[in-house]
Amino acid sequence: MKIKTILFLFLSLVTAASFAQIPALERVEPAFWWVGMKNPELQLIVHGQDIASRQVSLNYPGVKLAAVHKVENPNYLFLDLQIAPDAAPGTFPIQFTRKGEKTQTFRYALKSRDTSSSRIQGVTNKDLVYLIMPDRFANGDKKNDVVKGMNETTLNRDSMYYRHGGDIQGIINHLDYLKDLGVTALWLNPVLENDQPKTSYHGYANTENYKIDRRFGTNELYKKLVDECHSRGMKMIKDFIHNHFGSMHWTIRDMPSKDWVHQWPAYTRTSYRDQVLFDPYASASEKKLMTDGWFDIHMPDMNQENPYVKKYITQSTIWWVEYAGLDGFRLDTYAYNDAAFMAEWAKAVKLEFPRLTIFAETWVHGIANQVFFTQGNTVNRGFDTELPGVTDFQCLWGINEALTGKFGWDSGVTKLYTTLASDFVYQDPTRNVVFLDNHDLSRFYSVVGEDMDKYKSAIAWLLTTRGIPQLYYGDEIIMTGLSNPDGLVREDFKGGWDTDKVNKFISEGRTPKENDAFNFIRTLANYRKNNEVLQTGKLMQYVPENGVYVYFRYNADKTVMVIMNTSEKQETLPTERFAERMNGFSGAVNVVTGQQLRDIRSLSVAPKTTLVLELKK
């Protein structure tokens, strides 16, 4: 969509004549809700041709129509309902009447909440998260590959930009594979409908808020996926974008009001400069550009000061948690949102679901930059964001430098040590998600030059450090790719399509090197899953020397020693320096190989190698 087209679309919202021709009652969202919610208020967005000219009525015990709001566009009404604590589940008609015309009726449903103990457990440092781009993981239903009537109907696995056909059923089909690997939680890139004309596969420009993309499946199938995860002791994280919608979102194509999105005289892109948000010397104009500029031309920036926008976004997220039983949210492009709204949103979600986990993408450089967005007002922001955790990019930069940089006073693995030494600035750093790569970043095996020893070192660190570890699909089979462009790190998982010549989901389809990586990750991941010491155990680290970084995870029952040798030569490590943690232990077991070490007074560590040792008395 060209810039001038977008501007015309937005700025033509002046007279009723300019509004789209739609059915008399096109939709009501959310289409149903639940009794017994902590917040008794519910706002319905109603869309229909000249719906604002109709009178609204309803009659149901325990439900009150508190207010009817008209906005600039006569095709919208916003209805405020009050739902009493004793309201019973059931359905009732909401009627929209106009003299001399047929009454329009929507039968609204109030449902009972599902209080099953397996639902909405939250994701913690006891979990291992596995990130999946659904379009590129596995195709379990060919019938939904192309959906007639949608804006993008090209299916081409040879192109990084077109859809490939992966879907929710494909993920369901491989849940046992993931459980065997040691995964305990899934994070899917967005699966809401993205009816954009181009590059819709990634999902980050949704055009619906209450509907799964038909090329992935249905709402019911998504709920089944969550239920299937829970039945295996696994959890589900939903990726959600507050900052922007897709330009083909139904509320963008026919906007309730001009201030539904941030308007500019001409297309204006965000600066992507997070520094201006905390810079005490920043100008107001640069702050506005950062938060109100559009992330991309097809991603209108939502005006989160508009009370109807706030309600629409907030209720849709609460709806998905209650409907599907989600365990957590990953929040995209967090720094670009209105901070006050995001805190308000977090409070509303926590009120309904105290166990739900929330973490956000904070793609920034600098520990203070990252902590600025976390809850607790720990860096004198003067404002509590209510955000429990973040995707820990600072640890990513640290492990990158540890394995690709030259060791020095503040370089190489010292940077990783220093990053973790700065954890005091967080309210709780164990709520951060640590990772090596994702859908926007170069795959880590490529980052370290396809050096298997360095890669294993990174995986060993990921699965033994503090926080919530996250793998990206294909990490276990050393998938490669550099993120220029992004599509190169979003290739298909071979074996996910029945036409694939090889199947990487089974050992027979993997190369010896791929099986080596798979078995290494599987062994460590399952050890972590079965040993609380690597989940919730305390962390003690030592200043790196000669490129060797040593740290311990320990609790009352076990002590695990991790030795990361980042140098290019074998190192002999006398261990008396670590007596504070090693006193009382005389031996160890290599967690990965099972090798028993009967004398640990001095340890030999191969170059570019990380040892994970469970200490023994």
Side-chain angles (χ1 to χ4, degrees), residues 140-384:
D141 184 0
K142 290 182 178 179
K143 296 189 297 295
N144 63 21
D145 287 357
V146 176
V147 176
K148 291 182 179 180
M150 297 193 74
N151 285 315
E152 185 177 18
T153 56
T154 302
L155 189 76
N156 185 353
R157 291 183 65 198
D158 292 330
S159 168
M160 68 180 77
Y161 299 112
Y162 290 119
R163 299 188 76 95
H164 291 191
D167 51 34
I168 292 171
Q169 186 61 51
I171 298 170
I172 293 174
N173 294 347
H174 293 93
L175 288 178
D176 290 336
Y177 162 86
L178 295 170
K179 181 178 180 180
D180 175 70
L181 182 62
V183 171
T184 65
L186 298 187
W187 155 24
L188 310 186
N189 292 124
V191 291
L192 291 178
E193 186 151 289
N194 185 341
D195 196 15
Q196 294 290 122
K198 294 181 180 179
T199 60
S200 65
Y201 73 91
H202 57 68
Y204 283 98
N206 61 286
T207 55
E208 295 280 350
N209 276 50
Y210 289 92
K211 183 180 180 182
I212 295 297
D213 195 300
R214 287 166 280 175
R215 293 158 296 191
F216 290 146
T218 63
N219 287 12
E220 293 75 17
L221 188 63
Y222 180 72
K223 185 178 185 301
K224 179 183 177 183
L225 168 61
V226 179
D227 291 342
E228 290 286 345
C229 284
H230 288 164
S231 72
R232 292 169 171 79
M234 299 167 69
K235 303 171 183 178
M236 178 60 70
I237 300 163
K238 191 171 185 62
D239 202 334
F240 194 84
I241 310 100
H242 296 72
N243 179 68
H244 52 263
F245 292 170
S247 58
M248 299 301 288
H249 193 283
W250 68 275
T251 68
I252 301 297
R253 298 178 68 188
D254 187 27
M255 288 201 301
S257 57
K258 289 189 292 292
D259 67 351
W260 190 252
V261 302
H262 285 125
Q263 298 279 0
W264 297 84
Y267 170 67
T268 302
R269 191 187 297 266
T270 177
S271 66
Y272 308 104
R273 288 289 189 175
D274 62 285
Q275 298 95 324
V276 301
L277 300 178
F278 49 80
D279 177 4
Y281 317 113
S283 70
S285 63
E286 290 205 328
K287 289 184 178 181
K288 178 177 175 61
L289 181 62
M290 167 63 187
T291 59
D292 296 1
W294 290 19
F295 199 79
D296 208 339
I297 194 168
H298 64 289
M299 297 175 175
D301 198 78
M302 304 309 296
N303 178 12
Q304 295 162 346
E305 293 179 316
N306 181 312
Y308 305 116
V309 171
K310 292 196 292 185
K311 280 279 191 182
Y312 183 67
I313 292 174
T314 301
Q315 288 181 170
S316 68
T317 53
I318 290 173
W319 188 92
W320 277 109
V321 179
E322 185 63 32
Y323 171 75
L326 301 174
D327 300 288
F329 278 117
R330 179 265 187 184
L331 312 181
D332 186 62
T333 53
Y334 184 84
Y336 302 86
N337 290 283
D338 178 86
F341 164 65
M342 294 307 293
E344 179 184 320
W345 172 86
K347 287 180 180 178
V349 172
K350 291 176 184 179
L351 174 68
E352 300 293 351
F353 313 108
R355 294 198 298 175
L356 188 83
T357 294
I358 303 169
F359 65 95
E361 177 194 34
T362 51
W363 190 342
V364 298
H365 290 265
I367 294 167
N369 306 42
Q370 183 167 285
V371 177
F372 178 78
F373 297 103
T374 61
Q375 72 181 31
N377 189 31
T378 60
V379 288
N380 198 32
R381 182 172 182 173
F383 169 80
D384 195 334

Side-chain angles (χ1 to χ4, degrees), residues 545-566:
E545 295 181 352
N546 302 318
V548 178
Y549 171 44
V550 176
Y551 60 95
F552 295 83
R553 298 297 303 276
Y554 61 99
N555 59 19
D557 298 320
K558 289 186 178 181
T559 296
V560 172
M561 180 183 192
V562 182
I563 309 168
M564 178 185 291
N565 178 13
T566 64

